[in-house]
Amino acid sequence: MRRGGEQEQPARSRARACKVCRCLLRHGALPLQEIVRRLELSPGQVKNSLLVLIQHNCVQAFNAPRGSGDKTVTHYLAIFDNIVHRQRFSKFLSVIRADIPESEALLEGLLQNGSITPAREEIRMNFNKLVFAHYVERCPKPEPFFDPLVDEQSTSSRKRAPKTVEIALSIDKKVVNTAALSDAERFSEIPYIMEDASNANDSPLSSISGAKRKHNALEGDAELDSTIAENEVLWRANFEKFTFCLKKKFCADRKKPKLKVGTHPIWEAFFEASLIERDSNSVTSPINGIMERLGQKEGGTSMTLDHITRVLEELNCSPSSEDPDSFILDLSRIVEASRNEEIESLVRKKYGQEAFTIFRLLVRERGPVETDKIIDTTILDKQIVHGTLYKLWKDDYIDTERILSGTGTGTGNTQYFVWRVKNTFREQFIDNLCHAALNLRQMVNYIAELLLEGSKDDTKLRNRKNILILALTRHDDSLMLFQDF
């Protein structure tokens, strides 16, 4: 009975944490008492759930003003992107396995614990490799001050200013930006001579992982306060870096099948030599690094500099304006083309080759196209074009507009229709991807529950679960393409 109770308690804690997280995702940022009221849980249960969610970087706490006075209240905000990233841990580990294999175990522990404090001197060298490569960063400020009303007023004043172009950020993005540290603070390495705050713990990862950050975000916990050193620094995985690495790999692999014979080694060497990351939309590689990587490949030593330069330009790699000896590739062009290909592929599967041809024409025209022009360009039968356009319009992929013209013969005006890709078709596609991912995840969770309960068909259930997890992993590639790349 005692052992069963010990197994049941973590399950209940996870269920409460999921309940709190679901509440924050549905209702936005909320103070502690409001979460308690909505979920009808005790303050202690909600507090413990928030501790877990903050440690695993799923929730960010921030202070907001209460009323018109100087008092503030702590709100808790679910970070949607970080929650979604949890299903990508295996992909993140594959990045480290290829780049810094000796630090893979450290990263795995970091991902499992949410945040850690390296407690032993011998592991700090491998940990600093992760920090130096920006795979790991220091945790953000535990309780930054953010006033939504002041931010809204400043945004409104900027909108009234002439010739001001600004990308609108959501509240959660603004809170995350407010909590973020500077790059110098985020990636400051651990000194090798450092007082060990946990000599009693033989584990390479501190047993009080995440404690200080959780304590700062939740007031009044005297027990935690007495066990945490003031100089403790907490670290977490840098999801931006891993996303960029996966984006680079995606773009490199996506274009490989379309490359000419003999250009594959240069294309691979270009990505392998990229050490400078100026932004998340481009890859920059020095020509010397490219030639060095080529020298390690079969046939690479026989390639001349002129030949390499010419091939790089054919691959849309242009000389960098900041460094003439480096080449830069715009990843956003590959990503945009890949997104269009994904949607066009869906249109082909759902409506057929004719619809694929028409939809691709409308996407590439990027504007209204007359019906007669569609017929002439696609060389399709008139009735097929009209029927296909109606199907695409009915399912909100395209939009139409009737144009009146006074150039017709006789007394009446002529009319014709123009067609364009609907602005919301991509959002609709992403919604469908998210719903499909949710359905797959719920099916995996349901089978996991059946396995915990015990069943005669355990082998069959495990096989089905593995198939669903594989399908979810592949589906997530498309989700990352549209949401993260």
Side-chain angles (χ1 to χ4, degrees):
M1 289 295 293
R2 185 177 180 183
R3 183 176 295 177
E6 290 175 354
Q7 292 175 350
E8 188 178 8
Q9 188 62 30
R12 288 181 179 178
S13 299
R14 286 194 297 269
R16 284 194 292 266
C18 291
K19 204 172 181 181
V20 172
C21 187
R22 193 180 298 115
C23 176
L24 294 176
L25 286 171
R26 184 172 297 173
H27 301 289
L30 295 173
L32 178 64
Q33 294 303 321
E34 184 62 21
I35 302 173
V36 171
R37 185 186 70 81
R38 289 177 182 272
L39 295 181
E40 298 181 354
L41 296 173
S42 69
Q45 289 174 333
V46 173
K47 190 174 181 181
N48 289 335
S49 297
L50 288 170
L51 287 173
V52 173
L53 293 170
I54 290 172
Q55 176 180 341
H56 288 274
N57 305 298
C58 296
V59 166
Q60 173 68 52
F62 67 95
N63 286 324
R66 176 193 290 173
S68 56
D70 295 333
K71 293 184 177 180
T72 61
V73 61
T74 303
H75 285 69
Y76 301 94
L77 175 72
I79 309 300
F80 177 78
D81 289 344
N82 288 2
I83 296 171
V84 174
H85 282 320
R86 292 187 60 80
Q87 69 180 357
R88 296 166 180 157
F89 286 173
S90 61
K91 296 181 180 179
F92 297 163
L93 286 173
S94 68
V95 172
I96 293 298
R97 195 175 302 123
D99 191 11
I100 315 175
E102 61 272 20
S103 299
E104 182 183 354
L106 277 174
L107 180 70
E108 187 174 4
L110 180 59
L111 293 175
Q112 289 175 355
N113 288 279
S115 54
I116 65 171
T117 301
R120 281 166 48 181
E121 193 69 38
E122 58 265 27
I123 71 166
R124 286 177 184 153
M125 180 178 295
N126 286 338
F127 194 86
N128 275 339
K129 292 179 182 179
L130 294 173
V131 177
F132 181 76
H134 292 189
Y135 289 118
V136 168
E137 63 179 354
R138 298 196 182 209
C139 288
K141 303 169 189 174
E143 275 190 42
F145 179 81
F146 178 78
D147 188 349
L149 295 178
V150 172
D151 182 80
E152 185 178 347
Q153 291 172 0
S154 62
T155 303
S156 300
S157 63
R158 287 196 296 269
K159 285 182 178 178
R160 289 194 295 269
K163 297 182 180 179
T164 299
V165 179
E166 183 175 299
I167 299 174
L169 295 176
S170 59
I171 291 294
D172 59 336
K173 294 288 186 186
K174 292 175 181 177
V175 171
V176 169
N177 291 343
T178 304
L181 303 173
S182 66
D183 283 353
E185 293 174 303
R186 287 170 65 196
F187 306 114
S188 177
E189 296 184 15
I190 309 173
Y192 291 112
I193 301 175
M194 180 179 181
E195 183 181 356
D196 198 337
S198 56
N199 291 327
N201 186 3
D202 292 331
S203 171
L205 304 180
S206 174
S207 63
I208 53 174
S209 300
K212 182 181 179 184
R213 186 170 172 229
K214 293 188 292 181
H215 165 70
N216 289 338
L218 294 168
E219 301 171 355
D221 197 327
E223 184 178 352
L224 283 178
D225 189 33
S226 63
T227 59
I228 299 168
E230 287 299 322
N231 62 348
E232 183 183 7
V233 176
L234 294 174
W235 302 82
R236 68 175 188 178
N238 180 14
F239 293 144
E240 292 179 3
K241 170 70 175 183
F242 285 106
T243 301
F244 179 69
C245 291
L246 292 174
K247 180 178 181 178
K248 281 201 308 182
K249 185 178 184 305
F250 170 85
C251 291
D253 294 342
R254 189 81 174 195
K255 200 167 181 177
K256 270 185 182 179
K258 304 175 183 178
L259 297 178
K260 296 180 181 178
V261 178
T263 60
H264 286 78
I266 298 177
W267 180 251
E268 293 174 355
F270 172 78
F271 280 94
E272 292 171 4
S274 63
L275 302 175
I276 305 170
E277 297 175 8
R278 292 189 171 90
D279 56 64
S280 61
N281 290 317
S282 63
V283 174
T284 304
S285 298
I287 189 64
N288 290 336
I290 297 172
M291 296 184 69
E292 182 181 345
R293 299 304 190 285
L294 270 174
Q296 302 169 5
K297 300 181 182 296
E298 185 178 356
T301 54
S302 61
M303 296 183 183
T304 63
L305 178 61
D306 291 340
H307 172 71
I308 296 171
T309 304
R310 185 174 65 255
V311 170
L312 287 172
E313 291 175 349
E314 291 174 357
L315 295 173
N316 296 321
C317 302
S318 56
S320 172
S321 57
E322 299 178 6
D323 182 6
D325 294 329
S326 297
F327 282 81
I328 186 168
L329 173 68
D330 185 5
L331 298 180
S332 60
R333 294 176 61 181
I334 301 176
V335 169
E336 183 65 21
S338 301
R339 288 171 177 170
N340 290 336
E341 289 172 4
E342 286 284 320
I343 298 176
E344 290 165 4
S345 176
L346 175 67
V347 170
R348 180 178 1 215
K349 292 177 182 177
K350 192 172 182 180
Y351 302 101
Q353 181 63 36
E354 294 82 3
F356 164 78
T357 304
I358 294 172
F359 188 79
R360 169 174 276 192
L361 171 65
L362 295 177
V363 168
R364 293 185 175 180
E365 287 290 334
R366 297 184 179 181
V369 184
E370 296 180 30
T371 308
D372 290 342
K373 183 179 179 181
I374 294 174
I375 295 171
D376 295 338
T377 306
T378 59
I379 322 176
L380 293 172
D381 183 77
K382 186 175 182 179
Q383 290 184 345
I384 293 176
V385 170
H386 281 286
T388 304
L389 287 171
Y390 175 75
K391 290 177 184 177
L392 293 173
W393 170 78
K394 187 180 178 182
D395 289 347
D396 289 331
Y397 281 92
I398 62 175
D399 205 356
T400 185
E401 182 182 356
R402 185 174 63 178
I403 306 294
L404 294 175
S405 175
T407 59
T409 58
T411 57
N413 294 331
T414 60
Q415 64 178 6
Y416 60 93
F417 289 88
V418 294
W419 307 83
R420 62 169 63 86
V421 173
K422 210 164 186 178
N423 293 331
T424 57
F425 84 94
R426 185 165 287 178
E427 287 75 8
Q428 178 187 350
F429 184 80
I430 295 173
D431 285 344
N432 293 336
L433 286 176
C434 292
H435 281 101
L438 176 61
N439 292 337
L440 286 169
R441 172 52 61 185
Q442 289 177 338
M443 293 170 67
V444 171
N445 293 342
Y446 175 70
I447 294 177
E449 291 176 3
L450 292 179
L451 289 170
L452 286 175
E453 294 172 0
S455 172
K456 296 180 180 179
D457 299 328
D458 275 8
T459 303
K460 187 181 294 184
L461 286 174
R462 285 194 182 92
N463 291 337
R464 188 176 299 174
K465 180 184 175 184
N466 292 335
I467 292 172
L468 288 172
I469 290 175
L470 181 60
L472 184 61
T473 302
R474 291 176 177 174
H475 183 82
D476 184 61
D477 293 340
S478 297
L479 202 57
M480 290 195 75
L481 172 62
F482 282 89
Q483 285 201 311
D484 300 278
F485 293 171

